[in-house]
Amino acid sequence: MNQLPKLLGFQLNNQEWFAENVSLLSIAQKYGTPCYVYSKQALIEAFSAYEGACLRLDGSRRARVHFAMKSNSNLAILDLFAGLGAGFDLVSGGELDRVIAAGASPAVCVFSGVGKSVAEISRALQVGVKCFNVESIPELTRINAVAKQLNLIAPISLRVNPDVDAKTHPYISTGLKDNKFGIAYESVLETYLAAKNMSHCNITGIDCHIGSQILDINPYIDALDRIFLLIKELRTHGIEIHHLDIGGGLGIDYGGEEAPNITDFANTLLNHIESCGFGDLEIIFEPGRSLVGNAGLLLTKVEYLKPTEAKNFCIVDAAMNDLMRPAMYEAFHHIEPVVQKAIPQNIYDVVGPVCETGDWLGKDRPLAVEPDDVLMILSAGAYGSSMSSNYNTRPRAAEVMVSDHQTYLIRERETIQSLFAGEHLLPKKNEG
Ligand code: LLP
C-alpha cells in the first residue's frame, strides 16, 4: 500500500498539484503551513454519490444522509452539507451548538453517544432534535426523567449492537459484543419494552453503527438481517418502528484499498431493505469519512532533513497534534511533494516537531524533497482537524476551502495567546 488514492478535486498538472485549478503551493504561501485544504467540488461529489441512491427519479426519497459531524465539524462544511439537504449525526452538546451555529435545523439531527449528560439531554430536548440514539437503560431512564421535568416528550431510537465483525481496526470497530457501544442484541427487546412504559419517551426508530473504514458490505447485510428480526419481534409487542438508521462506516481509499463505490454501496443496502419488505421505513445513513475523507488534505512544510545511521527523517511543521491518525491507529496517509522535483529520492520517516516518538505522519516513504518544500498529506479531510489538539502548545492549523477556483479561509490559524487566555495564576502570597 503506497499508491495514490483516487482523488476528486485535486490534480497533478505539469509536476505540480492543484486544488480545483488553484496551486497548492500558492495556498501554502498565502495561508502558511500546516494548513488543511478542502475541495468544495469533491465534497459535493461525495454527497451526490449518496444522493444518487437516496433519491428516486421522481424526486421522492428512499433514504436521507445524516453527516457524522465528528469527522469534520468546520462550520463551512456543515453549512455546505445542510444546504445540500443533509441531516446530521452528533455526539455532544458542543456539536449540537456547532450545527445550530452553521444554520442547520435540530429537527434533522440525531443525537448519538454513550455518555449524554443531563445538560446535553435537556438542551437537545429544548431545541427539538429528531431523536436520541440511546445506548443503555440508565440513559433511557435519564432521558425520560429530564423530559418529564421539562414537560416534553423525547423521541428515541435504540442503538443495537448487532454483534457482527466489521473486520476493521479494533479501535474503530463498534458492533462487537465487547465494545462499549449499543445495547446487546439479546437485551434489545426488554429495553424497548422498558422504553414503551416510560411516560416521556416516544419510540421512533432503531439504529446501529458497526464500525468505521469498513471495506466489505457483508457485515452491513448481516447487521440489517439481525435488525429485521428485531423489528418483526417488536411489532408482535405492539411497538412500531418508523425509522431505521444504518449508521456510517463506509471506508475510503487511503492508498490502494478497494473501497466500495458510494452509490453502489447505498443502493445495495437500500435494495436489500426493500426486498426484505422494510421499504416503508424511513432510512438514514450516517456517513462521515466517505463524505469528507478524500476531499481534504494537509499541507506541511519540510523544516529539516535529518539523516541518521538507522533512518532518514523528514521533519515537517505538521505533527500528531494536527493529524492524530497515524500516531493513534498507525493509519496510512499518502504523502507527496506539491511540486515534484527532478532530484534523487530518499526513503524517509516523515515526523513532526512534537516531543513523542509516536509523533510520525508516514514511515519509510520514498520522497524527493529538500528543506522548505511543501508536502501534502492526503485523505486528511476526515478525523483530521476535528481530532486535532494543542499538545506542545501548538496552535491548531488554518483551514481553507477551494470553491470555484477561489480560496476561502474557513478557519483561522489559532494564535498562541488564545491557547492560554483562559488560564489563571494562583495569587502570590503578598497579594492575599
Ligand atoms: N455514526 C456513529 C454513531 C459513529 O460513531 C460514527 C463514527 C459514524 C456514524 C461515522 O463513521 P464513518 O462514516 O466516519 O466511518 N477517529 C477514527 C474514526 C472514529 C469513528 C467514530 N464513529 C479514525 O480516524 O479513523
Side-chain angles (χ1 to χ4, degrees):
M1 191 166 79
N2 190 11
Q3 290 168 15
L4 203 61
K6 286 172 219 87
L7 295 173
L8 291 169
F10 301 100
Q11 329 80 34
L12 183 64
N13 222 330
N14 277 335
Q15 317 298 319
E16 190 181 340
W17 278 91
F18 291 80
E20 297 185 21
N21 296 340
V22 181
S23 126
L24 285 168
L25 186 63
S26 72
I27 296 178
Q29 284 161 348
K30 180 165 179 192
Y31 298 98
T33 51
C35 174
Y36 278 97
V37 182
Y38 307 103
S39 154
K40 182 173 162 193
Q41 181 201 328
L43 293 165
I44 293 175
E45 283 193 36
F47 189 82
S48 307
Y50 272 99
E51 289 290 75
C54 292
L55 274 178
R56 292 193 189 85
L57 286 178
D58 65 6
S60 64
R61 279 205 169 272
R62 297 169 83 192
R64 186 178 296 278
V65 168
H66 284 237
F67 174 50
M69 61 180 285
K70 64 172 81 69
S71 60
N72 192 318
S73 52
N74 185 289
L75 294 191
I77 289 179
L78 301 180
D79 173 53
L80 174 70
F81 285 143
L84 294 172
F88 297 90
D89 164 61
L90 48 93
V91 290
S92 72
E95 288 194 345
L96 177 57
D97 280 339
R98 226 173 217 288
V99 83
I100 292 172
S105 162
V108 294
C109 295
V110 298
F111 191 174
S112 306
V114 290
K116 302 175 192 78
S117 71
V118 168
E120 287 174 324
I121 293 166
S122 54
R123 171 102 176 113
L125 280 168
Q126 281 163 330
V127 297
V129 294
K130 178 179 171 63
C131 84
F132 292 89
N133 286 347
V134 179
E135 307 217 13
S136 66
I137 291 197
E139 183 193 338
L140 199 53
T141 310
R142 178 182 276 186
I143 291 174
N144 188 58
V146 177
K148 188 170 178 187
Q149 213 170 31
L150 295 171
N151 202 17
L152 292 168
I153 300 290
I156 60 131
S157 158
L158 297 192
R159 174 167 175 183
V160 176
N161 183 337
D163 196 22
V164 297
D165 185 357
K167 301 184 187 72
T168 183
H169 189 288
Y171 280 16
I172 50 178
S173 179
T174 51
L176 279 169
K177 249 192 182 135
D178 56 0
N179 294 136
K180 71 176 174 183
F181 296 103
I183 295 167
Y185 192 79
E186 312 71 51
S187 313
V188 172
L189 176 60
E190 71 184 69
T191 312
Y192 269 109
L193 290 172
K196 192 182 171 201
N197 286 328
M198 291 193 183
S199 57
H200 288 71
C201 287
N202 176 31
I203 297 167
T204 60
I206 191 162
D207 66 280
C208 74
H209 171 77
I210 56 174
S212 203
Q213 185 54 15
I214 302 171
L215 296 165
D216 177 4
I217 198 162
N218 290 315
Y220 284 95
I221 301 283
D222 294 346
L224 279 174
D225 289 344
R226 304 204 76 194
I227 286 178
F228 295 155
L229 294 176
L230 284 173
I231 296 177
K232 284 188 197 152
E233 196 174 357
L234 290 170
R235 279 186 191 148
T236 67
H237 289 84
I239 296 174
E240 264 318 309
I241 295 297
H242 303 289
H243 76 252
L244 164 57
D245 179 343
I246 313 170
L250 177 62
I252 62 167
D253 175 15
Y254 280 97
E257 293 96 336
E258 284 300 320
N261 166 284
I262 293 176
T263 314
D264 293 348
F265 163 82
N267 261 328
T268 306
L269 294 189
L270 292 174
N271 292 344
H272 185 67
I273 292 168
E274 284 160 14
S275 70
C276 293
F278 294 89
D280 53 339
L281 295 178
E282 179 192 339
I283 309 298
I284 294 174
F285 289 105
E286 284 177 5
R289 189 189 318 265
S290 51
L291 286 175
V292 290
N294 270 332
L297 52 78
L298 176 62
L299 293 179
T300 182
K301 191 183 77 177
V302 177
E303 296 283 7
Y304 302 100
L305 296 179
K306 178 176 175 180
T308 71
E309 213 175 297
K311 289 242 169 202
N312 292 315
F313 292 101
C314 173
I315 305 175
V316 296
D317 66 358
M320 64 187 288
N321 74 296
D322 301 298
L323 180 65
M324 178 102 93
R325 304 192 70 256
M328 195 155 170
Y329 318 112
E330 302 195 352
F332 176 89
H333 287 263
H334 192 91
I335 303 178
E336 287 271 307
V338 303
V339 176
Q340 312 218 316
K341 291 182 171 170
I343 55 173
Q345 273 192 348
N346 258 319
I347 305 293
Y348 291 101
D349 276 10
V350 180
V351 300
V354 161
C355 300
E356 298 270 351
T357 305
D359 178 30
W360 57 273
L361 298 163
K363 287 197 170 158
D364 299 321
R365 302 303 176 86
L367 289 170
V369 282
E370 294 174 312
D372 290 333
D373 284 354
V374 177
L375 305 182
M376 53 184 207
I377 304 178
L378 296 178
S379 318
Y383 306 106
S385 81
S386 65
M387 286 175 72
S388 64
S389 80
N390 294 122
Y391 188 39
N392 280 202
T393 306
R394 288 171 50 86
R396 260 177 280 234
E399 293 179 70
V400 169
M401 174 101 73
V402 180
S403 163
D404 300 324
H405 316 308
Q406 306 268 350
T407 57
Y408 298 88
L409 182 63
I410 60 169
R411 182 178 182 157
E412 294 167 23
R413 183 179 310 286
E414 283 174 328
T415 63
I416 304 262
Q417 287 295 326
S418 73
L419 302 188
F420 45 81
E423 296 177 28
H424 303 283
L425 304 180
L426 291 181
K428 302 282 182 276
K429 262 200 179 123
N430 50 5
E431 288 170 14

